[in-house]
């Protein structure tokens, strides 16, 4: 009812049956006590009538919520992955793609149209051999996409494909037999940013045996330049509404590293790297697949996960960095969780036993989101329409497969281009020191008492 009322008020004539559906909800609400009584009856015929009532309400729910005017596109791009594939194609929360098995997948890029449970699923691209296909990023023009897949030497590379499934080409050069490149996104100037193990670092707690990937940028001429110089991983780069790049950075040394996957942002040239959410926080342990809310300057949707335990999956949380950046101070809402506070639980396996499980959110607005979800332990991974009103409406699923990484197959408004501030020929750097007294770290320290850094 909350969602239908919101859609009716927000979209008016673009949601023409809103008042009709609200009236049908009134009827269902009047019938509910009787249906509950019949469901508890020992009479089989009464229980069958209660089941029919539930089916009627579910049908109403599906029709009313999937009539959302934000679902105004014809096709939805998805990754279709065999549930029997290795690890569901999800690295542990302290790993990158390079830690995944290189073969054994049954992956496809697929399109569902129309965007409904009864829509037709069509293969867009299937690798010639069983390989991982994922980390999809659609160009703002909607005519091509980047994705990760291993090459003929079983090294991860970035690939590009036209939106009609033609023109496959390897984007990253692949000249080095000991380097993996993956998880790319287009920049507003058509360069790309991606994760690469060419920094040659390893995760300390496994003796360096798990390779670390930092973020790099590649231009149209194939020139590659390192953007981040971190001891540990950078994950999930995506472009913000203002043209900056948001990503997750794992900090390790001198920190409680189970709790330090900080959401960062920077200019596309790597300058002005700063925290977006989670620095000096014990909650959340991890923020994966964060994306900005369309048209909003500070809100974002992300998957909150732990350190060990469930890989990459977790709880769906709406955040606003303008209201807070530590612990739960910036939490707008957990979804589902309408009207409920979110507690900053401090635990290694943070989302173990928490359901539903979520992956790969795609925000349609600050209230409605496409997302890969597994509602309960016995369910498949399907694509759902989630909202801040606690609805989780099935968009599409396929028996025996996980449907992941939903992306509307359409053009979008590109973010502005931020001019480069770097001077590659310089051998020194310029550091701007604004105000060491600002913030909680030196709270109460008298101004003028700091004499040196």
């Amino acid at each position: 009812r909350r969602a239908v009322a919101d859609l009716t008020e927000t979209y008016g004539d673009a949601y023409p049956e809103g008042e009709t559906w609200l009236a049908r909800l009134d009827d269902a609400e009047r019938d509910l006590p009787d249906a509950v009584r019949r469901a508890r009856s020992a009479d089989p015929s009464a229980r069958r009538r209660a089941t029919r009532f539930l089916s009627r309400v579910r049908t109403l729910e599906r029709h009313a919520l999937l009539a959302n005017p934000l679902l105004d596109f014809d096709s939805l791009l998805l990754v279709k992955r065999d549930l029997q594939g290795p690890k569901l194609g999800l690295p542990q929360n302290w790993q990158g793609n390079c830690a995944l098995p290189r073969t054994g997948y049954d992956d496809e890029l697929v399109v569902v149209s129309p965007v409904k449970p009864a829509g037709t699923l069509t293969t867009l691209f299937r690798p010639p051999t069983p390989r991982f296909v994922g980390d999809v990023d659609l160009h703002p023009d909607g005519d091509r996409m980047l994705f990760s897949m291993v090459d003929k030497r079983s090294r991860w590379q970035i690939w590009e494909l036209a939106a009609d499934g033609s023109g496959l080409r390897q984007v990253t050069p692949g000249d080095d037999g000991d380097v993996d490149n993956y998880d790319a996104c287009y920049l507003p100037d058509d360069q790309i940013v991606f994760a690469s193990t060419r920094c040659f670092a390893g995760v300390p707690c496994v003796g360096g045996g798990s390779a670390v990937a930092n973020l790099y940028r590649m231009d149209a001429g194939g020139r590659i330049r390192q953007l981040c110089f971190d001891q540990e991983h950078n994950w999930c780069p995506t472009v913000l509404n203002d043209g900056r790049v948001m990503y997750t950075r794992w900090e390790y040394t001198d920190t409680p590293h189970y709790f330090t996957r900080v959401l960062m942002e920077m200019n596309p040239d790597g300058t002005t790297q700063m925290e977006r959410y989670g620095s000096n926080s014990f909650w959340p342990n991890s923020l994966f697949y964060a994306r900005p809310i369309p048209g909003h300057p500070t809100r974002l949707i992300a998957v909150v996960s732990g350190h060990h335990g469930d890989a990459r999956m977790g709880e769906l949380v709406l955040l606003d960095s303008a209201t807070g950046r530590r612990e739960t101070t910036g939490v707008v809402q957990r979804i589902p969780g309408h009207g409920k506070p979110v507690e900053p639980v401090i635990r290694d396996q943070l989302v173990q036993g928490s359901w539903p499980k979520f992956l790969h959110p795609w925000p349609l607005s600050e209230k409605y989101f496409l997302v890969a979800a597994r509602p309960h332990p016995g369910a498949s991974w399907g694509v759902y329409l989630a909202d801040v009103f606690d609805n989780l409406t099935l968009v599409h699923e396929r028996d025996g497969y996980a449907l992941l990484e939903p992306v509307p197959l359409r053009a979008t408004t590109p973010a502005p281009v931020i001019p480069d501030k770097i001077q590659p020929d310089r051998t020194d750097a310029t550091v701007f020191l604004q105000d060491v007294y600002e913030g909680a770290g030196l709270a109460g320290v008298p101004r003028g008492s700091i004499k040196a850094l």
Side-chain angles (χ1 to χ4, degrees):
R1 178 182 291 280
R2 290 190 291 258
V4 173
D6 174 74
L7 292 168
T8 303
E9 179 181 358
T10 303
Y11 296 104
D13 293 342
Y15 190 66
E17 296 187 74
E19 296 295 344
T20 301
W21 282 321
L22 286 171
R24 290 175 61 186
L25 277 168
D26 288 339
D27 294 339
E29 208 160 36
R30 282 192 295 270
D31 294 342
L32 180 58
D34 183 61
V36 172
R37 180 181 58 80
R38 292 179 185 279
R40 293 170 175 168
S41 169
D43 182 0
S45 64
R47 293 202 299 272
R48 284 194 294 271
R49 290 183 64 181
T51 300
R52 287 196 294 271
F53 168 83
L54 177 60
S55 178
R56 174 163 60 94
V57 174
R58 291 297 190 202
T59 299
L60 171 61
E61 175 191 39
R62 184 171 63 253
H63 288 169
L65 298 183
L66 293 184
N68 189 321
L70 293 169
L71 297 173
D72 60 345
F73 46 90
D74 297 326
S75 301
L76 184 65
L77 179 64
L78 303 169
V79 171
K80 176 186 168 192
R81 180 164 296 144
D82 190 339
L83 289 174
Q84 304 305 314
K87 299 184 179 181
L88 198 60
L90 300 172
Q92 292 296 316
N93 294 342
W94 46 272
Q95 296 176 329
N97 285 28
C98 52
L100 288 171
R102 309 277 164 145
T103 59
Y105 302 89
D106 183 15
D107 283 14
E108 297 179 19
L109 292 176
V110 298
V111 173
V112 60
S113 182
V115 186
K116 298 181 182 298
T120 300
L121 205 64
T122 304
T123 298
L124 186 70
F125 170 74
R126 183 178 179 86
T129 58
R131 307 182 208 175
F132 172 100
V133 174
D135 304 331
V136 178
D137 187 73
L138 186 67
H139 192 277
D141 291 343
D143 61 350
R144 57 195 185 277
M145 67 198 72
L146 299 171
F147 63 92
S148 304
M149 182 176 71
V150 297
D151 61 15
K152 60 184 179 182
R153 294 195 292 183
S154 292
R155 284 293 173 184
W156 294 91
Q157 303 295 349
I158 308 302
W159 303 76
E160 188 175 56
L161 185 75
D164 63 1
S166 65
L168 177 69
R169 73 179 185 95
Q170 184 175 319
V171 177
T172 43
D175 298 332
D176 303 306
D178 52 359
V179 170
D180 290 303
N181 307 298
Y182 50 86
D183 200 4
C185 73
Y186 291 103
L187 295 173
D189 62 359
D190 278 349
Q191 298 187 58
I192 69 167
V193 62
F194 62 99
S196 178
T197 61
R198 65 188 61 229
C199 56
F200 291 100
V203 177
C205 55
V206 290
S210 182
V212 163
N214 279 183
L215 292 184
Y216 292 75
R217 186 174 73 165
M218 189 175 80
D219 64 21
R223 291 182 292 272
I224 295 173
R225 189 173 68 82
Q226 190 167 357
L227 301 182
C228 298
F229 295 80
D230 297 318
Q231 179 190 5
E232 295 303 325
H233 288 282
N234 306 132
W235 292 294
C236 306
T238 190
V239 175
L240 292 165
N241 298 324
D242 63 2
R244 288 168 61 78
V245 175
M246 179 169 63
Y247 60 100
T248 298
R249 181 179 81 188
W250 183 22
E251 298 178 356
Y252 193 106
T253 300
D254 297 329
T255 63
H257 64 268
Y258 282 24
F259 308 95
T260 49
R261 287 165 193 81
V262 182
L263 201 59
M264 300 287 292
E265 61 180 82
M266 64 180 172
N267 291 328
D269 63 0
T271 60
T272 322
Q273 296 182 13
M274 62 179 69
E275 170 220 25
R276 182 66 177 240
Y277 202 94
S279 182
N280 296 317
S281 294
F282 284 87
W283 184 97
N285 308 49
S286 304
L287 283 167
F288 289 119
Y289 311 117
R291 289 190 179 273
I293 302 302
H296 200 288
T298 56
R299 288 196 172 184
L300 57 100
I301 190 77
V303 171
V304 164
S305 191
H307 177 69
H308 297 106
D310 292 316
R312 297 294 177 97
M313 64 191 72
E315 298 171 346
L316 189 63
V317 178
L318 182 64
L319 299 166
D320 191 338
S321 58
T323 63
R325 295 182 298 162
R326 309 286 188 276
E327 306 291 341
T328 56
T329 57
V331 172
V332 177
Q333 184 184 331
R334 178 184 288 140
I335 302 170
H338 183 84
K340 299 177 182 177
V342 176
E343 299 297 330
V345 176
I346 301 174
R347 185 170 64 231
D348 172 13
Q349 299 184 33
L350 181 62
V351 297
Q352 208 78 5
S354 175
W355 294 91
K357 290 286 196 300
F358 294 98
L359 287 166
H360 312 128
W362 184 273
L364 301 171
S365 74
E366 60 184 309
K367 296 179 182 178
Y368 301 95
F369 316 89
L370 290 169
V371 65
R374 191 180 180 203
H376 54 83
S380 299
W381 281 96
V383 173
Y384 289 79
L385 177 65
D387 62 45
V388 296
F389 307 108
D390 281 0
N391 298 291
L392 192 59
T393 309
L394 179 66
V395 174
H396 205 83
E397 67 179 357
R398 183 58 58 98
D399 287 343
Y401 290 89
L403 298 183
L404 307 169
E405 302 192 42
V407 181
L409 193 53
R410 62 178 175 186
T412 54
T413 302
V417 174
I418 299 176
D420 281 3
K421 300 179 181 180
I422 60 168
Q423 295 174 299
D425 295 334
R426 292 270 299 263
T427 57
D428 60 349
T430 301
V431 177
F432 293 91
L433 179 61
Q434 182 169 319
D435 187 350
V436 297
Y437 301 94
E438 180 67 28
L442 295 180
V445 175
R447 287 187 175 275
S449 59
I450 306 299
K451 303 302 181 184
L453 272 176

